[in-house]
Amino acid sequence: MRFAAFALLLWIGVSQAHYLGKEIGPLSELHHAVRGSVFAVDSRTLYLHDFHYDGEGPAAYFYVGTSKSPTASGSLRLRDERGSTTPLRRYRGEGITLSLPDGKTLRDVNWFSVWCDEFSVNFGSVDIPRSLEYPKPAKVAALRGVHGVSSDAIVVVDAQTLLIPNFSYDGEAPDAKFWVGRGDKPSPQGIRIPDENGKESPLRKYDRKTIVLTLPGELTVFDIGHFAVWCEAFTVNFGHVVLPRATLVNVPPSLKMLGVSPQSKLNCEVLHDELAFEVRWAVAGDSIVLQLVAKLEDGEYMSFGVSGVNDHSQMVGGDVAVAWVDKTTLKGFSEDYYLDAKSQCAGVHGSCPDHKIAPNTNSIRVLNAALVNGYSIVTYQRPLKASDFLDRPVLTNVSQPIIWAIGPLNSKQEVSYHHHFTKGDKFIEFGRPPLWNCPMPEGEEEHRTSEPIRQDKPRRPSEEDEEDVTAVIKPNPVPTPRPSPKVTPWEIPGIQCYEPPDGVFYAQMGPTGGKQGYSAITGHVGWGISWYINGLLIPEITVVRGKKYTFVVEGGTDPEVPARYHPFYITNDPVGGYYHKSDAEKKDIEIYAGVRRLRNGELLPNGVGRLCNWTPDNEGPEADEYPSFGAYQRSLTLVCEEGNPGVVTWTPDKNTPDTVYYQCFTHRYLGWKINVVDECDATEAEESRVVETLALPGDLLGEESIQ
């Protein structure tokens, strides 16, 4: 997925073949065979062309400085092209790129030198003039044309890269392509340009999407005179802009033109190997640009961010970006989340987008997104410093604990319980020298071991150059993902109309049972917890009209801790979470048990009691490894807090619908169905197994709730 790494670099101010940038001058040849030419690539990047040094100096380093000539005073040491701070090795005619320290530009320094620390000797240097016009991106006109083609002013990021902000096209034409060519207007003699995903297929619909395009092969903006949206089949121009030579004369060279692998300017770490989940990043001034890449199923998210505490990886209190690509529209998303608790977002508590907790607190900006061979790729930017009380800073001077997760999105396009997540502690040093700890894209290994690019005289290709150019920019092949096995729900025995004989049900909390549990049974995305009735995971319950039923509720009592507060109620709503619904959503909802109405009309839940959790063995297998619910159930232990249970009584009548639901008053999708029948044959098979039995005190049988 080489294109994705290119796209990330575009946003951090590091530019991407013959043009090497603005020539500053040759190095003075003083000692140890130092020689070569120095070019300005952009405001804080130098390129050394045909650089030589014999490697014999005891402590030679690259330096820039603010004094009039090279001295130890007022100097800044640069890391070498590999990000190392060790003394320089031997160089034999190589081309290398060097970056100035953060916060410094070429306007801040007066010279560049190969300097020996041990003897304070200049081995070779060049002066950097104050008047230097270093290369920088250039803006040209905006697209305007037919078929809804439009954009903001196009940015020529470097000599091979175009940024098209807010691009729109109606997608109705049969063979529209991105197109470039010589001269001011498009013609059939032009060259098609791969789209932002590296594909040359006809363009789909775009609606104000910011995209990044890379010119193919050795083609540069110096070779072309226009950029267009062109219908290749019918030779029709849908809209174009002129690329004025005078405007582009000082754009940066691309990394490819400098012989630099894009990964050498980026950091990358693998977070989860099986799903190819990677985080790539680069610090850009007072912000950081990150790119998340993973093999996600449709409707899944990937999240990454800073731990809630400073010494280990902890979800609660964490500040993360939740990212995904809609596989229908191909639109990318990245939301700023604060993880208040290990629960779904309910009101302003739980795992919530920042903007739901407080207005104007979204600190994340989506830069680009793509879907390539089933891999979701989202690039976003955030400040290094905390922008508000929901953010945590990204540190660049120490290693920092991080957290990540992959899981399903719920119907509100918010996170649900993750099936893959950080296990143990994971630390990342965001400010480290660029280090690519991920699998190398195809071809990069060969590139890194090949001879350095050498040329007698750097130059821009002219219109007289007649070399053929072919479009070969494509995403790298990726392994065919393993087919997702069809998930068969566990068979959970229903509670029949004749059981239990006394009509008493025990409602407690427990895990959703992995992919074979709640989500497979209901078809809904759960959070990771759900109701257990008489020890069974969300069983279907059958009740008889006219018979009184008692639910002993142990779902928590403290509304100040939403992750541990699950009031039980019975309703016609298959979703639940009545407390957080809008007035419009509440309009057609009926509640049959579990609440009482106050004088002001507000409904107050009274199906509350101490919290009891069916708890899995942390040392045991994952839920998905159990062949049946029975096997999984035997691994669970019921753990109860101090306190009393609550009690909800209910007698379904002739007005009760045939299907209702037991739910949590404060959270969505925790319960399941109750089937209501008129009569029941009590002589049928023996009652279903009850895992836990608890005798209900006689003085509570007539009470709606003991709370």
Side-chain angles (χ1 to χ4, degrees):
M1 286 176 286
R2 184 183 305 153
F3 90 96
F6 273 103
L8 175 54
L9 281 170
L10 303 178
W11 295 98
I12 60 176
V14 179
S15 60
Q16 276 203 19
H18 303 149
Y19 168 54
L20 303 178
K22 186 78 169 182
E23 185 169 10
I24 297 175
L27 288 168
S28 57
E29 301 177 14
L30 302 178
H31 303 284
H32 288 285
V34 166
R35 69 178 188 273
S37 297
V38 181
F39 293 79
V41 174
D42 57 29
S43 64
R44 53 183 301 268
T45 306
L46 296 171
Y47 180 75
L48 273 58
H49 172 68
D50 193 27
F51 177 61
H52 291 75
Y53 164 58
D54 65 13
E56 297 299 325
Y61 298 92
F62 296 124
Y63 273 92
V64 292
T66 57
S67 56
K68 289 185 178 181
S69 60
T71 64
S73 176
S75 61
L76 297 169
R77 182 189 293 179
L78 306 183
R79 296 178 183 267
D80 67 19
E81 75 282 5
R82 298 173 178 174
S84 173
T85 58
T86 59
L88 298 182
R89 60 180 176 85
R90 182 180 183 182
Y91 293 85
R92 292 182 286 188
E94 299 180 35
I96 61 174
T97 56
L98 305 172
S99 296
L100 271 61
D102 286 345
K104 297 294 182 181
T105 73
L106 293 175
R107 294 278 171 82
D108 300 318
V109 297
N110 294 325
W111 50 264
F112 167 81
S113 171
V114 179
W115 179 268
C116 178
D117 275 356
E118 186 164 331
F119 294 101
S120 297
V121 174
N122 176 19
F123 290 173
S125 64
V126 65
D127 291 338
I128 300 175
R130 288 283 182 174
S131 59
L132 175 70
E133 290 294 331
Y134 49 76
K136 61 189 69 174
K139 278 189 179 182
V140 295
L143 283 168
R144 293 291 182 272
V146 298
H147 277 288
V149 168
S150 67
S151 75
D152 292 347
I154 294 175
V155 179
V156 180
V157 179
D158 61 46
Q160 289 193 296
T161 309
L162 304 177
L163 170 67
I164 322 294
N166 294 319
F167 174 65
S168 295
Y169 160 60
D170 65 14
E172 297 297 327
D175 196 28
K177 307 284 177 57
F178 294 123
W179 199 257
V180 296
R182 301 183 191 273
D184 292 344
K185 295 182 179 179
S187 72
Q189 285 69 50
I191 299 170
R192 73 177 70 96
I193 300 299
D195 66 16
E196 73 279 12
N197 294 331
K199 297 180 179 179
E200 295 181 15
S201 52
L203 300 181
R204 67 184 190 281
K205 180 180 179 180
Y206 291 81
D207 184 13
R208 296 187 61 78
K209 182 177 181 182
T210 296
I211 60 176
V212 175
L213 305 179
T214 302
L215 299 182
E218 303 298 314
L219 189 67
T220 74
V221 293
F222 308 123
D223 302 313
I224 57 179
H226 63 266
F227 167 78
V229 178
W230 174 262
C231 183
E232 192 169 5
F234 294 95
T235 64
V236 177
N237 176 19
F238 291 169
H240 78 283
V241 297
V242 175
L243 301 177
R245 183 62 60 88
T247 303
L248 307 182
V249 69
N250 200 34
V251 297
S254 68
L255 289 173
K256 182 180 178 182
M257 295 163 69
L258 301 178
V260 178
S261 162
Q263 284 78 15
S264 69
K265 286 292 185 180
L266 296 179
N267 290 281
C268 186
E269 292 289 340
V270 175
L271 300 176
H272 191 276
D273 189 59
E274 182 181 345
L275 296 176
F277 186 18
E278 299 175 0
V279 58
R280 305 164 177 178
W281 76 92
V283 175
D286 58 1
S287 68
I288 184 171
V289 177
L290 301 106
Q291 184 177 78
L292 303 182
V293 181
K295 174 66 181 74
L296 302 179
E297 299 296 333
D298 195 16
E300 287 188 327
Y301 68 85
M302 49 188 170
S303 66
F304 175 83
V306 178
S307 167
V309 293
N310 293 329
D311 58 352
H312 65 275
S313 295
Q314 174 180 296
M315 172 186 163
V316 176
D319 174 21
V320 302
V322 174
W324 71 96
V325 178
D326 186 305
K327 296 193 176 183
T328 302
T329 65
L330 298 182
K331 183 177 180 181
F333 301 85
S334 187
E335 295 277 350
D336 195 0
Y337 267 67
Y338 176 69
L339 308 180
D340 170 72
K342 293 183 179 180
S343 65
Q344 62 179 264
C345 184
V348 297
H349 294 288
S351 299
C352 295
D354 284 14
H355 67 82
K356 293 192 71 172
I357 301 174
N360 303 316
T361 53
N362 181 33
S363 303
I364 286 174
R365 182 166 68 100
V366 179
L367 301 179
N368 203 359
L371 189 65
V372 180
N373 295 345
Y375 283 74
S376 298
I377 304 171
V378 178
T379 308
Y380 62 94
Q381 186 175 28
R382 61 149 291 174
L384 290 173
K385 294 181 179 179
S387 299
D388 51 65
F389 71 100
L390 299 174
D391 289 344
R392 292 185 64 83
V394 175
L395 306 178
T396 57
N397 57 346
V398 295
S399 291
Q400 186 170 17
I402 58 92
I403 51 177
W404 62 265
I406 290 177
L409 294 161
N410 64 23
S411 58
K412 288 188 173 183
Q413 296 295 90
E414 294 176 358
V415 299
S416 288
Y417 188 74
H418 39 62
H419 46 71
H420 293 86
F421 56 93
T422 320
K423 294 185 178 180
D425 294 331
K426 173 79 173 177
F427 286 79
I428 285 181
E429 184 181 353
F430 290 102
R432 74 189 188 191
L435 183 61
W436 190 266
N437 284 332
C438 299
M440 290 299 296
E442 183 180 288
E444 289 299 331
E445 292 293 347
E446 295 179 11
H447 176 79
R448 288 200 169 199
T449 58
S450 62
E451 287 297 313
I453 294 176
R454 303 187 189 189
Q455 291 148 317
D456 294 332
K457 184 178 181 181
R459 62 184 180 90
R460 291 184 177 85
S462 67
E463 293 194 9
E464 285 70 34
D465 293 331
E466 294 298 332
E467 57 191 2
D468 291 334
V469 179
T470 56
V472 295
I473 304 300
K474 298 178 181 177
N476 288 305
V478 294
T480 301
R482 293 181 305 173
S484 298
K486 183 176 176 59
V487 177
T488 301
W490 278 331
E491 291 187 10
I492 310 290
I495 299 178
Q496 304 302 320
C497 58
Y498 46 80
E499 54 185 4
D502 59 1
V504 177
F505 299 98
Y506 298 93
Q508 296 143 342
M509 303 309 299
T512 51
K515 294 180 180 179
Q516 303 170 86
Y518 183 94
S519 59
I521 295 167
T522 67
H524 301 301
V525 174
W527 171 250
I529 56 172
S530 55
W531 284 113
Y532 277 57
I533 306 297
N534 289 0
L536 300 174
L537 168 63
I538 57 162
E540 285 196 30
I541 302 173
T542 301
V543 299
V544 181
R545 290 183 175 90
K547 181 177 178 178
K548 182 178 179 180
Y549 295 91
T550 300
F551 291 84
V552 179
V553 181
E554 295 172 316
T557 60
D558 187 358
E560 297 302 315
V561 187
R564 301 168 63 80
Y565 178 63
H566 308 289
F568 180 94
Y569 75 120
I570 298 172
T571 174
N572 66 343
D573 176 20
V575 176
Y578 182 88
Y579 180 76
H580 295 292
K581 292 183 182 291
S582 66
D583 290 341
E585 290 173 320
K586 293 177 179 178
K587 186 176 180 182
D588 297 322
I589 291 177
E590 296 180 354
I591 297 178
Y592 308 105
V595 299
R596 63 188 178 91
R597 190 178 297 275
L598 303 179
R599 290 183 179 180
N600 62 4
E602 180 183 354
L603 294 179
L604 184 69
N606 55 17
V608 294
R610 67 174 184 172
L611 181 62
C612 288
N613 263 313
W614 288 98
T615 306
D617 180 3
N618 289 333
E619 303 299 323
E622 298 289 340
D624 292 334
E625 298 180 39
Y626 288 93
S628 66
F629 173 71
Y632 180 61
Q633 183 188 46
R634 288 190 289 275
S635 74
L636 304 178
T637 303
L638 185 62
V639 178
C640 293
E641 296 181 347
E642 294 292 328
N644 296 317
V647 175
V648 171
T649 59
W650 175 50
T651 304
D653 57 27
K654 64 180 181 179
N655 296 317
T656 306
D658 292 342
T659 302
V660 295
Y661 301 85
Y662 55 95
Q663 300 286 13
C664 169
F665 194 74
T666 55
H667 298 94
R668 296 152 40 93
Y669 295 123
L670 264 63
W672 195 221
K673 295 178 182 178
I674 300 177
N675 302 308
V676 184
V677 299
D678 291 327
E679 56 184 23
C680 176
D681 184 356
T683 64
E684 293 184 13
E686 62 180 1
E687 69 180 76
S688 63
R689 180 169 61 89
V690 178
V691 175
E692 185 212 22
T693 57
L694 174 66
L696 186 66
D699 60 344
L700 297 183
L701 287 174
E703 298 295 324
E704 175 68 11
S705 175
I706 65 172
Q707 298 300 318

